Amino acid sequence: MRRRWDSLLGEVLVTLAVLTERATAGQRAVVRWRRLRDDALRAAHGRGVTVDVLAARLGLSRGWVHTVVTRPASGQDGAEVTS
């Protein structure tokens, strides 16, 4: 009976580990994609695209886009995710 419970508990723990990995990997991917988007916004703005055009094309607020394009890039390769 103990072997059966150990096996069942082992399967539950593996499932928990898989779900946790997928959730954190997903969050890191979102951070990387947003960082890439922000870098593209900065590059476009540096080549003369106005904040108003960027905001309208992305459907974001003008103030948010202005903050992104005037803020220096983080320069970090790793994605830190805080909960």
Side-chain angles (χ1 to χ4, degrees):
M1 184 73 172
R2 178 165 186 219
R3 178 175 278 184
R4 182 174 150 211
W5 284 111
D6 284 344
S7 178
L8 181 63
L9 182 57
E11 290 297 321
V12 169
L13 290 173
V14 168
T15 302
L16 179 62
V18 167
L19 292 173
T20 303
E21 173 57 27
R22 287 182 183 165
T24 58
Q27 290 171 352
R28 286 178 284 189
V30 167
V31 169
R32 284 191 304 268
W33 278 110
R34 286 185 180 159
R35 187 172 294 142
L36 181 64
R37 179 203 56 201
D38 293 351
D39 290 344
L41 284 173
R42 285 185 201 93
H45 186 259
R47 296 191 188 284
V49 181
T50 66
V51 170
D52 292 328
V53 170
L54 292 171
R57 292 284 303 271
L58 275 90
L60 300 170
S61 73
R62 184 186 185 287
W64 185 90
V65 173
H66 182 267
T67 300
V68 168
V69 299
T70 58
R71 176 179 66 203
S74 64
Q76 298 176 350
D77 287 337
E80 291 186 6
V81 177
T82 58
S83 49

